[in-house]
Amino acid sequence: MTKRTESKFKINRRLGVNLWGRAKSPVAKRDYGPGQHGQRRKKPSDYGVQLMAKQKLKGYYGNIGEKQFRKYYEEAVRRKGDTSENLIELLERRLDTVVYRMKFAITPFAARQFVSHGHLLVNGRRVNISSYLVANDDVIEVREKSKQLAVVLDATQSGERDTPEYLEVDHRAMKGRYLRAPKLADVPFPVQMEPNLVVEFYSR
């Protein structure tokens, strides 16, 4: 897993959007980029628009590394159907994303750490790889000794987000099921995502 050397909220300011819809995002106070020249925003080129769409999508899913993100694009191209929809499906099947969606963690970054520290079971087996792709009907459960962790309890009780319809969750049992792969329209992004522009970026 690549180490992030920047604050996650710097991603928000650089992109000029509240990427995760959180109340404490600095974009709420300063909706311009960080640094000396942050307020001087020029109209981006087509390339710039495509790059921004890619950075938003990468950033939202916990700032995935470029090499890994490109692999998701290549797999999305290889699969049948719409490439942009396939890309979203692959990202939404990541175990850390599922943990975040089920509200077992407050942010995608916390979800990744939660998985890597071995707090999760998938179909009764311990999995600590955040990029593990969950299949339909897989059961995801917080390990018994981790169910009383404050970070989990805070996340499940948070009113910031709802659990989407393609997941089934029992927060009392700290257990959930991945029902089906979502379409782009099903995913509760706080900001507009444009995976079609990401596909255009990589297919140049």
Side-chain angles (χ1 to χ4, degrees):
M1 184 176 72
T2 56
K3 289 185 179 179
R4 290 183 308 106
T5 56
E6 60 185 345
S7 163
K8 57 182 174 286
F9 283 132
K10 274 189 181 177
I11 303 170
N12 275 2
R13 286 201 61 202
R14 189 175 70 241
L15 298 175
V17 292
N18 187 350
L19 206 50
W20 302 282
R22 302 209 67 199
K24 61 170 76 172
S25 171
V27 173
K29 295 180 180 178
R30 293 170 292 186
D31 62 346
Y32 51 86
Q36 183 180 351
H37 305 292
Q39 296 187 57
R40 286 196 232 158
R41 289 208 166 171
K42 297 177 182 178
K43 187 176 179 180
S45 62
D46 288 346
Y47 170 83
V49 171
Q50 293 166 0
L51 177 63
M52 185 72 74
K54 178 179 74 96
Q55 297 298 76
K56 272 202 302 184
L57 202 59
K58 272 180 59 179
Y60 179 82
Y61 287 99
N63 215 14
I64 297 171
E66 178 61 28
K67 188 175 179 181
Q68 188 175 30
F69 194 74
R70 188 175 186 100
K71 283 184 179 178
Y72 286 128
Y73 162 75
E74 290 168 354
E75 176 61 20
V77 170
R78 193 186 66 78
R79 295 187 176 198
K80 291 181 180 179
D82 184 277
T83 301
S84 57
E85 291 281 1
N86 291 344
L87 179 59
I88 293 299
E89 177 183 332
L90 286 166
L91 293 168
E92 285 293 316
R93 283 190 184 278
R94 282 177 58 100
L95 182 56
D96 57 357
T97 302
V98 175
V99 168
Y100 174 63
R101 292 277 180 240
M102 287 183 171
K103 293 178 65 175
F104 294 151
I106 202 77
T107 68
F109 301 96
R112 183 177 297 173
Q113 187 176 57
F114 195 68
V115 174
S116 65
H117 286 185
H119 297 296
L120 263 294
L121 300 175
V122 179
N123 299 328
R125 295 177 59 188
R126 186 178 176 187
V127 178
N128 62 358
I129 300 168
S130 56
S131 60
Y132 175 90
L133 295 182
V134 175
N136 291 4
D137 290 323
D138 275 358
V139 174
I140 293 87
E141 183 178 8
V142 177
R143 292 180 71 196
E144 194 61 43
K145 67 177 185 179
S146 306
K147 288 181 179 179
Q148 296 305 313
L149 290 174
V151 288
V152 185
L153 297 174
D154 289 347
T156 56
Q157 292 164 16
S158 169
E160 279 190 346
R161 295 176 290 116
D162 293 323
T163 305
E165 292 181 357
Y166 49 91
L167 301 172
E168 180 181 84
V169 187
D170 180 348
H171 283 136
R172 284 190 176 182
M174 298 283 184
K175 190 174 186 177
R177 184 184 299 274
Y178 192 94
L179 300 178
R180 62 176 176 85
K183 298 294 185 184
L184 174 61
D186 299 328
V187 182
F189 291 119
V191 297
Q192 184 183 9
M193 291 295 181
E194 298 164 301
N196 58 306
L197 295 180
V198 179
V199 173
E200 288 177 17
F201 177 88
Y202 282 121
S203 60
R204 282 177 298 109

